[in-house]
Amino acid sequence: MSKYNEYFVRSIEKDINAKFDKVSFSMFKTNITTGEIVPCCQTLVEGVDYYSANNAGQINAGLEIIKVLSNHYGIKLPVFVDNAEGVNELIEMDTQLIELVVTTEPLAITYK
C-alpha cells in the first residue's frame, strides 16, 4: 500500500470520527497477507465493538449517530427509543424523544 493511500484512508476515518463523542468507526482494515486496504465499517462505542456494548451503550450510540446525521442533513424528526427503561441517562438530543418503557401501569404518557 502506498503512503498516499494510507494517509488518504486514515484522514477519511479521522474526519468522520471527529464528528462523534462516544462513537467511532473503523472504516478500513489492512489485509495482513497482502497489505491491501479493505473497506469495512465497524462501529465502536467508547472503543468497544457495538455488538459487545451493553444495551444502554447501544441505544446511546444509535442516538448519537442519529444526532450527527440530523445535524449534517439539517433534518429534525421525532426519535422513538425502545427499551428506554434500560438506560439511566440518554444523551442530550435536540429533537423530540419518544421513550418506550415497560410498565405495569395502564397507559401512561409523559411529555418532556
Side-chain angles (χ1 to χ4, degrees):
M1 164 178 55
S2 73
K3 290 289 184 189
Y4 172 77
N5 286 345
E6 184 177 352
Y7 174 78
F8 180 71
V9 297
R10 300 297 169 224
S11 68
I12 290 172
E13 257 183 10
K14 184 178 176 184
D15 289 346
I16 290 171
N17 288 332
K19 298 178 184 322
F20 295 89
D21 293 323
K22 300 196 183 285
V23 175
S24 63
F25 296 94
S26 176
M27 304 294 291
F28 303 94
K29 290 187 179 185
T30 304
N31 184 317
I32 296 172
T33 308
T34 64
E36 178 184 19
I37 297 175
V38 181
C40 72
C41 187
Q42 182 180 11
T43 306
L44 303 171
V45 182
E46 295 185 341
V48 176
D49 181 63
Y50 174 84
Y51 295 105
S52 297
N54 63 24
N55 189 46
Q58 290 179 354
I59 289 172
N60 277 323
L63 289 174
E64 184 175 4
I65 292 167
I66 290 168
K67 182 178 184 177
V68 169
L69 291 174
S70 293
N71 290 337
H72 178 76
Y73 290 107
I75 298 171
K76 303 292 182 201
L77 298 171
V79 176
F80 287 82
V81 179
D82 197 7
N83 297 319
E85 72 277 359
V87 183
N88 288 332
E89 189 174 329
L90 294 170
I91 67 167
E92 186 69 31
M93 297 288 289
D94 53 357
T95 187
Q96 181 184 17
L97 281 182
I98 301 163
E99 299 175 28
L100 306 175
V101 297
V102 174
T103 180
T104 58
E105 299 291 321
L107 182 62
I109 300 174
T110 57
Y111 296 97
K112 291 183 179 181

